[in-house]
Structures are given as structure tokens and as C-alpha cells.
Amino acid sequence: MKDSETKKSIKQDAARIAALLTDSDYPICITGAGVSTDSGIPDFRSPETGLWNQEEAKELSKPGAFRISELTLDEKMELFWRVGYKLGKKIMKAKPNKAHKILADWEKDGIMKSIITQNVDRLHQKAGSQNVIEIHGNAFEAKCMFCGGSYRLKDVMRRYKRKKRAPWCDVCAGFIRPNVVMFGESTPSETIQEALVEIKQADLALVLGSSLIVYPANYLPVIVRKRGGKLVIINDQSTDLDKVSEVVVNASITRVMKEINKALN
Ligand SMILES: [Zn+2]
């Protein structure tokens, strides 16, 4: 497609999405890694930039990496911190992009009720969104894997930087890890319940930057559909739910969001 045609088709799709948002009584948004790539945070699963495809991190990307592996827990934690430290720094420094900002404005204006996100980067909150449910936790808190004691990840990262050893708990000497849901781990049931409260009210779900591969994010839009709600998907690649969605746009998220915002004003 020529660029002028692409531009025209994005404009048309954006106008349709704006109309759906205006007609909806309870629109919600489900976001994934694609929303944060314009803020410089790599999509962990993308084959080109995916952190988890680097050789040394492969061990940790296996489902249940913390439980099933040939490595001892000590070795796993050292590996985890070696890889995770760099990513942690990147996430902490990242700034929200235009898509995060538009979503925050929509919440203030009553256009968007809530966000359910797979992202652990807190960029929605940094942009000003308040009603955010983090189904994979967030990378700003840390916890002891043994006693559950909580820490600020920032402080724990400082310790790692000083000693170059996986940090351990002051109370029980257990390993400390970020409070995020890793591959093969489950979202806490309280968080699922919070998400369901939103999902059950939603008559429209705008799915942004998620390939809808990982549970539970891939199931939430299915529930919206089953209950009679509508779906809109904006992502850089196709998803399994494209065929049951009202509008599907495969283009840059910030670009499409800007167009929808223009169409709404
Ligand atoms: Zn502890």
C-alpha cells in the first residue's frame, strides 16, 4: 500500500474507533508491550529485540523458569540479576509516550474507564492514568522469595550494583526479586478478580499493542465478546481475535492513537 493510502485508511479506521468509543457506555483498554516500545522498552517476546531470546537469558524464558531448570537457585538468581539489572534500569528511566498520555487524558475526560495492562513499566501511571490494573505486577517493587518481605526495587538494584551479587533479604536471607509475574507463573487471583470487575462492565475493549498470546490477557477480550461487548485491536501484527473484532488496525500505536484523538475532538 502507498503511504497516502495507508494514511487514508488509518484515518478512516480512527474515525470508526472514535465513533465506537463515543457510543460506548463502559469502554476499557487492554494494553501490552507494543504500547511501550515507543518509550524505548523492548518487547520481551519479539524475535528481533526480545530480551528473552538472548542466549544467556534463554534459561529464564522457559515456562516455570524459577522452578524447573538444570541451574541451581543460586545460579538462576545470578543470571536473572545480570540480565534483569540492565532491563530494570531501562524501565525505571523510561518516559510515557503519546499513546500513554492520550489514554490518561481520556480517563480524565470520561472517555476511557480503566486500563488492564500486561506491562510492568508503570508508564500509564506516569502519564497520569489512575485506574490501572497490572496483571503482570510492576517492576518498581521487589519481594523476598522466601518470607515475602517487600522492598523498593530501586534500593535492591543499588545493592546489586555495589556487590554484583543477587541481593538477599535482610530478615531471612532469601533471594529478592522484582514483583513481576514471570513466564509460567500465574497472575495473583485478587488481580484477576479486579480485572474481571472491569471486564464484566465493559461494552467495548480497545486492545493496544498486545498479540494476545499470554494468559490471562488473551482471555479477557474473549469474555467481553461473550458478554456482548465489542473489540477493537490495534497491534503491529495479527491476533487470533482479529476475525471477531469490529476494527483491526496493524500500524504504529502512537500514530493511530493520535488519529483517534483528533477524530474525537
Ligand atoms: Zn525474607
Side-chain angles (χ1 to χ4, degrees), residues 211-259:
S211 299
L212 298 173
I213 293 166
V214 186
Y215 180 85
N218 60 352
Y219 196 62
L220 298 174
V222 175
I223 306 174
V224 173
R225 274 273 308 161
K226 278 189 175 165
R227 298 177 62 89
K230 292 174 178 168
L231 300 183
V232 168
I233 297 180
I234 308 170
N235 193 39
D236 61 354
Q237 49 183 304
S238 60
T239 78
D240 287 348
L241 293 180
D242 287 2
K243 51 187 178 293
V244 294
S245 298
E246 304 297 311
V247 188
V248 176
V249 194
N250 294 136
S252 148
I253 288 160
T254 42
R255 185 175 175 186
V256 182
M257 286 294 284
K258 279 187 210 165
E259 284 298 335

